Amino acid sequence: MRRKIAWTIIVLAAVLIVIEAMRFNFTALPKPGPLETRFANRAKLFFIGRASREGIPPAPQDKQASIETGSTQYGLDCAICHATDGHVQGTPGQWMYPRASDLTSKRVQSYSDQELFWIIQNGIRYTGMPAFGKTETQDHIWGLVNYVRTLPSTSQEATSTR
C-alpha cells in the first residue's frame, strides 16, 4: 500500500513538472519574477567573485589617464546598451534579459575593481554582456573600470540639478 502511494506521488509530481515545463519559455520581454531574479543575482555574485580572485592584472598607475581612456572606450563599447550616463538603458539594453545594468547602482558599484575587470574582460554568459577580453587591451579594460567608478549616481545628479 505504501509503495502504491509513493508511486502515485512520484507520478503526480512528474506530471506537474511536465505541465510547468510546457508553460516555460525563453522570451526576454516580460520582467522576471522575484524568485528567478534573486536566484540569478546570487549565482552571478558567487561565480564572479570566485572567478575574479585570480589572473587579474594590476591596475594602471596613472588613474586619470586611465579614466580618460575609459571614457572614450565607454562611448564606443558600452553606451549602446548602458546609455551615455550609465543608468538609463539604451534601446538594446531595455529589451535584454536580464536588462542592461544600471552602472551607477549600488549593486554594480559594490563590485570590487577586480570583479568589474573580470566582467568586462569575460562577459556574462546568457546575458547581453559581451566579453571584451579578445578585442580590448587590459589597459582599455582597466580604463572602463575606472570610468564606471566616476559615473554619477541618480541621487547625485538630482542633488546637483536643484
Side-chain angles (χ1 to χ4, degrees):
M1 182 68 169
R2 285 186 178 179
R3 195 173 195 181
K4 190 174 183 179
I5 292 172
W7 275 109
T8 303
I9 291 171
I10 291 171
V11 169
L12 183 60
V15 168
L16 291 174
I17 290 170
V18 167
I19 290 170
E20 188 62 31
M22 290 172 61
R23 290 182 22 190
F24 183 78
N25 64 54
F26 282 102
T27 182
L29 292 174
K31 187 175 181 177
L35 182 62
E36 180 182 358
T37 301
R38 182 178 298 126
F39 177 77
N41 283 335
R42 298 234 177 177
K44 182 173 64 171
L45 286 171
F46 172 78
F47 288 112
I48 290 170
R50 188 183 68 168
S52 66
R53 290 186 191 131
E54 297 178 11
I56 305 298
Q61 296 296 319
D62 187 353
K63 196 165 191 168
Q64 190 56 42
S66 179
I67 291 169
E68 290 171 15
T69 299
S71 174
T72 302
Q73 284 307 126
Y74 182 89
L76 296 171
D77 295 336
C78 310
I80 190 164
C81 293
H82 298 282
T84 55
D85 61 3
H87 60 71
V88 176
Q89 297 158 340
T91 302
Q94 292 174 343
W95 301 114
M96 293 179 190
Y97 170 69
R99 307 292 184 240
S101 293
D102 174 351
L103 300 179
T104 67
S105 69
K106 288 181 182 179
R107 184 174 49 85
V108 171
Q109 292 294 324
S110 70
Y111 283 119
S112 70
D113 288 349
Q114 289 75 17
E115 289 170 330
L116 284 175
F117 184 96
W118 188 92
I119 291 168
I120 295 166
Q121 181 180 40
N122 297 289
I124 302 175
R125 189 177 296 220
Y126 305 119
T127 72
M129 180 61 196
F132 289 101
K134 297 210 180 209
T135 60
E136 297 297 341
T137 66
Q138 292 178 345
D139 284 342
H140 284 173
I141 294 172
W142 271 117
L144 287 168
V145 170
N146 290 326
Y147 179 72
V148 164
R149 295 292 190 207
T150 68
L151 293 171
S153 70
T154 307
S155 60
Q156 288 174 335
E157 284 184 353
T159 304
S160 66
T161 58
R162 287 184 189 169

